[in-house]
Amino acid sequence: MIGDHVAGLDSLNSFNPQTLSNTAWAFASAEVPHPELLRKIGDHIAGQMSLISFEPQNLSNTAWAYAAAGDLDSFDPKVLSITAWAFATAGVSHDELFKKIGNHVTGPGGLGSFKPQDLSNTIWAFATAGVLHPELFNMIGHHVAELGSLDSFKAQALSNTAWALATAGVSHPELFNKIGNHIAGLGSLDSFKPQELSNTLWACASVCYTDERLFSALAPVIASKLDKCSEQDLANVAWAYSVANTPRQDLFDEGYVSALASNENEFSGKELAQLHQWQLWQQELESRIELQGPFQAKCRNAFTSRGYSESKLQNDVVDELKAAGLVLDEEVLLGSGYLIDALVEFNDGRKVAVEVDGPSHFIDRRPAGRTILKHRQVAKMDHIKVVSVPYWEWDELKNSEMKQRYLREKLSNGQFEVFQSQDLSAHVGPSQEPKNKRRLVFPAVLFLSPMHGHLLHLVEHGLDLEVVGLFP
């Protein structure tokens, strides 16, 4: 009733700053959603010429300050970070407010007085609200990466920072390397809650930072806290290790299967799909660790039932494949459960999967974790070579003749036989000889650019190569 009344007022000019922040705080603390009220308050504050009348300390104490527009210099970092956090937590979108906060923070001296919690709250809020501000993410990433140490960061701040960057699609290898080394080097990880552990692993796997030292350090800690893990924690951890391809028998054993089974009815469709990929990974490893039949079928069904939509890019590639005289099927469901864009069949019986990889399949033009996982599992489980068509390469082709020549070159390439390091983040420094080499056959065209005649991604992800049969 009060919320409706305030939201329905023509103007909030009669409300002083403390009253506005207290009103917002009261609704949020009581967990009473009222997006119209929050938008009204946000619009009012964003329209102020100056925020001098807003006492920063009062806003900071209430922890639900709403600030934008005018001069933000009088607001300390905690106020700004909690302002963004408040809107993101309440699930209320206010792009103009976020934009102005982001622009202020990225201004001269914007991060100078930010504490670790302020940094993580700010970047988490922008990622949660789905507000893109590349300059803000990059600036905070560089700022944290260049710190002498991360000892002042609590577990939640580290986890939220990594999660926010991955969610926003920012790889920032230097930062992930710093966070990974810091966590792996801690004497004790008892202060990390299961959600902080799972979010950190999910973020690292999403951007393909799969340092074996980090994943190995976290495995026994997670195993000791399985009874405290939520269904989301369990699914994210399983998926992250599947991407990293880091076998851990001290984590993924009958105890983990039991924990999954006890939460079977609580998993969302997305989480069930993640568990299907984990089950495929266990089959890759021939570990004999399996979900019960009905549960396994439920996971597969969730994975194969995901929504699928064509894109102009995909249609264009398929049209050019047909124009080149190739025999193909579109949108083919494979035995593994993966759906591929096109399956080309040659006269000699060979079959090649063509994947049209748009922007969402990459992070900073490096394959995202989910892309790496799909290509690896299709090659391993379905025994089908995968050819990737990255969107930026396709965009450079000006006509059908160039596109068809590009596709012919892609499809005529042989395979790379790859020694894959467990650490896909090694591009932050000189390539290191992998400690444990695993010999895998990867699709050459995932990495080969016939247009530019060089190899993509392999050095960046710390992969040692032995090239065989490049041209048939």
Side-chain angles (χ1 to χ4, degrees), residues 385-386 410 413-416 442-449 455 458 470:
K385 176 183 172 183
V386 181
K410 282 275 189 178
N413 284 320
Q415 294 179 322
F416 285 137
F442 265 67
V445 292
L446 177 61
F447 310 108
L448 181 65
S449 171
L455 299 178
L458 294 170
L470 181 57

Side-chain angles (χ1 to χ4, degrees), residues 182-240:
H182 173 78
I183 294 176
L186 291 174
S188 172
L189 295 172
D190 291 339
S191 63
F192 280 76
K193 298 176 182 178
Q195 183 179 18
E196 293 160 357
L197 294 167
S198 67
N199 281 354
T200 300
L201 287 168
W202 175 88
C204 290
S206 294
V207 301
C208 278
Y209 177 85
T210 54
D211 178 64
E212 185 176 2
R213 183 166 169 252
L214 172 66
F215 279 69
S216 296
L218 296 188
V221 182
I222 296 170
S224 69
K225 300 185 178 187
L226 284 181
D227 59 329
K228 298 182 178 65
C229 288
S230 69
E231 58 275 4
Q232 184 179 48
D233 297 332
L234 293 168
N236 278 344
V237 167
W239 181 84

Side-chain angles (χ1 to χ4, degrees), residues 20 35 89 108 115 139 143 171 178 205 229 242 252 263 294 338 427 463:
L20 289 172
T89 300
K115 296 179 180 179
M139 177 177 282
H143 178 81
S171 64
K178 192 175 188 74
C229 288
S242 300
F252 300 115
N263 288 274
Y338 279 105
H427 68 286
L463 296 172

Side-chain angles (χ1 to χ4, degrees), residues 310-449:
E310 295 181 357
S311 66
K312 182 179 182 301
L313 173 64
Q314 178 184 332
N315 290 334
D316 191 23
V317 172
V318 169
D319 287 345
E320 294 299 342
L321 285 169
K322 292 177 179 178
L326 294 168
V327 178
L328 60 88
D329 291 318
E330 300 180 53
E331 299 176 21
V332 178
L333 181 65
L334 301 177
S336 62
Y338 279 105
L339 188 69
I340 57 173
D341 296 329
L343 184 65
V344 178
E345 185 169 357
F346 294 91
N347 293 334
D348 59 4
R350 288 185 304 120
K351 293 182 179 180
V352 177
V354 177
E355 278 290 282
V356 183
D357 289 323
S360 65
H361 295 198
F362 299 90
I363 295 180
D364 298 333
R365 291 196 174 185
R366 284 183 285 270
R370 67 188 187 93
T371 304
I372 290 287
L373 182 59
K374 179 178 183 178
H375 288 210
R376 190 190 81 221
Q377 292 191 326
V378 168
K380 180 73 173 181
M381 304 304 298
D382 296 298
H383 309 290
I384 295 175
K385 176 183 172 183
V386 181
V387 167
S388 173
V389 179
Y391 69 95
W392 69 88
E393 291 187 359
W394 191 257
D395 288 345
E396 291 182 17
L397 305 172
K398 305 303 181 184
N399 53 53
S400 290
E401 181 181 355
M402 293 177 66
K403 292 175 179 179
Q404 291 177 35
R405 181 169 67 249
Y406 168 88
L407 291 170
R408 290 192 194 97
E409 292 182 19
K410 282 275 189 178
L411 292 167
S412 68
N413 284 320
Q415 294 179 322
F416 285 137
E417 203 163 12
V418 180
F419 289 116
Q420 185 191 23
S421 166
Q422 297 295 338
D423 180 6
L424 300 181
S425 64
H427 68 286
V428 297
S431 296
Q432 301 294 322
E433 184 77 1
K435 295 179 181 178
N436 299 310
K437 292 184 177 180
R438 301 193 65 203
R439 199 173 183 83
L440 298 176
V441 176
F442 265 67
V445 292
L446 177 61
F447 310 108
L448 181 65
S449 171

Side-chain angles (χ1 to χ4, degrees), residues 7 9 15 20-21 23 30 72 80-81 95 103 148 157 216 219 289 296 340 365 384 423 426 438 464:
L9 294 174
F15 286 72
L20 289 172
S21 63
T23 301
L72 295 180
L80 293 173
S81 67
D95 290 349
N103 290 344
S216 296
I289 299 296
Q296 193 173 141
I340 57 173
R365 291 196 174 185
I384 295 175
D423 180 6
R438 301 193 65 203
D464 285 351

